[in-house]
Amino acid sequence: MPQNTRYGIIGCGMMGQEHVKNIALLEGTEIAAVFEPDAQMRAAASRLAPDATFATSLSELLARADLDCLVIASPNYRHAEQIAQIADSRPLPLLVEKPLLTDPDDLPRLTRIAKTYPAPIWVAMEYRYMPPIAALLEAAPAITGGVRMLTIREHRFPFLEKVGNWNRFNSQTGGTFVEKCCHFFDLMRLVIGHPPVRVMASAAQSVNHLDECHQGHTPDIIDNGYVIVDFKGGARAMLELCMFAEGARFQEVISAIGDQGKVEAFVPGPTRFWPTDLGPAPTPLIEISPRHPKGPELRETPVDPRLLQAGDHNGSTFYQHQKFLDLVRGHLPAPAVTFGDGVWAVRMGLAAQQSALTGQAVSL
Ligand SMILES: NC(=O)c1ccc[n+]([C@@H]2O[C@H](COP(=O)([O-])OP(=O)(O)OC[C@H]3O[C@@H](n4cnc5c(N)ncnc54)[C@H](O)[C@@H]3O)[C@@H](O)[C@H]2O)c1
């Protein structure tokens, strides 16, 4: 019998638990150790991974001799320091949650670390693996004839409550365009296939969290905005974000258009937020709309209900872990989402934050 692949989980709150549930669906895997400082989250994690050992520090977790790979799902502002500590003491294959970093001052050091890190580093970008978005990624080149315009519209619920309210402040998240929209900047680069050259944004915190106070401070995070990105080669992309719009049927609508036609993906939000009295949650869709001959075609891209149960991201965490496991076992030559992809997504997010603040376009 081959040995189980043994994971160490760093941070086991909402997303860490989603990782644990999805890893559990993969044959021959085991959650061996967890470092989670919050007692309530630790208790929830131990119900999901009863055989795991709970370390009291990251150093203690890294000192274990029997780990094969690591997953970082701690708050954003911890990622850079934890990557550095791991690189120093136990550089195992690593899946690190987005965003890779929040403070641009950490970038030179992290880049040096990534160059000499002796194992693969995969940056978690679950959106790439949602079935309707994967279908759009596959269909876009042939249907569009080359994407000239990409629009990503996200209309969703406000940020959820997190341990210690870390997600309420730009200083700990990198800002909304870094924290959550790095996914969309990653998709823009992936679909368009060229580097971004300029970012323009208009955004504000208009509605959410304004009546909250955490240790004497009111949250300062953007809840709505537009970002326009110009790409080398002439394509352009736009993000429309609204975080007080969870009444919508679909959470994200993504349209990719070229001179041959258009592809759209319709992505529902987390199934657990869909009111049961409204019947079944919406099925994800893509619509293929060639120009000649005209004839838009709607296709369902359903998600396995077992995967919907294991998280809030349309099954994508499972598909990502399938590939990460292939990488750890040596069946995949390199990470599908590289350190460089993670850095680009953060740079675009930081540029959008800066543009929204200054009213000026930011060149990259
Ligand atoms: N890819 C996605 O779709 C997606 C979705 C949600 C969250 N995330 C990312 O996952 C990470 C965790 O977010 P979350 O929603 O689970 O937040 P969370 O607050 O629910 O969980 C974070 C956990 O980390 C723990 N923690 C705090 N300091 C730590 C430290 N120094 N070391 C280890 N653990 C520590 C907290 O106690 C908490 O339980 C964030 O980086 C977030 O951006 C990604």
Side-chain angles (χ1 to χ4, degrees), residues 101-117:
L101 67 157
T102 54
D103 180 350
D105 289 347
D106 284 328
L107 189 53
R109 180 174 65 135
L110 272 194
T111 305
R112 277 197 303 278
I113 289 171
K115 276 198 182 124
T116 54
Y117 197 86

Side-chain angles (χ1 to χ4, degrees), residues 30-317:
E30 185 179 331
I31 306 296
V34 175
F35 167 47
E36 168 48 63
D38 179 73
Q40 236 177 319
M41 288 300 183
R42 219 167 34 239
S46 72
R47 286 192 288 275
L48 294 173
D51 298 329
T53 302
F54 282 78
T56 57
S57 66
L58 178 55
S59 322
E60 190 183 308
L61 180 138
L62 296 177
R64 286 184 59 125
D66 58 351
L67 299 178
D68 297 308
C69 60
L70 300 168
V71 176
I72 296 182
S74 57
N76 298 0
Y77 66 102
R78 295 290 185 201
H79 297 177
E81 72 187 36
Q82 292 183 328
I83 293 170
Q85 188 177 344
I86 291 164
D88 268 351
S89 58
R90 201 71 201 292
L92 291 170
L94 173 64
L95 178 74
V96 51
E97 263 304 343
K98 51 51 57 176
L100 202 40
L101 67 157
T102 54
D103 180 350
D105 289 347
D106 284 328
L107 189 53
R109 180 174 65 135
L110 272 194
T111 305
R112 277 197 303 278
I113 289 171
K115 276 198 182 124
T116 54
Y117 197 86
I121 299 177
W122 180 311
V123 181
M125 287 291 180
E126 279 85 359
Y127 273 77
R128 290 186 181 206
Y129 298 98
M130 291 184 181
I133 296 181
L136 177 141
L137 289 168
E138 196 185 332
I143 299 300
T144 64
V147 175
R148 305 290 181 95
M149 291 183 74
L150 178 74
T151 304
I152 300 180
R153 196 182 78 192
E154 179 171 60
H155 287 177
R156 60 160 270 177
F157 51 93
F159 280 118
L160 299 175
E161 281 183 23
K162 300 286 165 185
V163 175
N165 300 298
W166 66 266
N167 66 346
R168 293 298 195 260
F169 298 98
N170 292 323
S171 59
Q172 294 177 92
T173 65
T176 301
F177 286 141
V178 173
E179 144 61 10
K180 64 171 317 316
C181 300
C182 61
H183 282 296
F184 305 129
F185 298 128
D186 176 63
L187 287 179
M188 287 178 186
R189 279 185 56 250
L190 191 64
V191 172
I192 290 174
H194 288 290
V197 292
R198 190 167 37 250
V199 176
M200 291 153 270
S202 164
Q205 180 187 12
S206 304
V207 175
N208 296 346
H209 317 303
L210 290 165
D211 56 353
E212 295 176 16
C213 183
H214 305 291
Q215 291 171 332
H217 300 285
T218 305
D220 59 5
I221 43 173
I222 287 166
D223 59 23
N224 72 105
Y226 294 102
V227 182
I228 294 176
V229 185
D230 284 331
F231 284 80
K232 193 175 172 194
R236 52 187 50 76
M238 187 183 80
L239 169 68
E240 174 185 326
L241 173 72
C242 180
M243 298 191 66
F244 40 89
E246 65 271 36
R249 180 173 302 278
F250 291 105
Q251 183 167 292
E252 286 93 13
V253 178
I254 302 181
S255 45
I257 311 175
D259 63 353
Q260 309 286 306
K262 164 172 154 176
V263 192
E264 264 183 306
F266 300 88
V267 185
T271 316
R272 67 186 165 109
F273 295 162
W274 185 257
T276 45
D277 58 305
L278 295 183
T283 301
L285 304 166
I286 62 164
E287 190 162 45
I288 306 280
S289 308
R291 288 175 82 188
H292 310 291
K294 190 168 173 153
E297 183 200 337
L298 211 49
R299 298 180 192 161
E300 293 195 338
T301 55
V303 180
D304 179 343
R306 214 167 52 119
L307 303 187
L308 286 176
Q309 290 292 319
D312 284 343
H313 300 93
N314 286 284
S316 58
T317 305

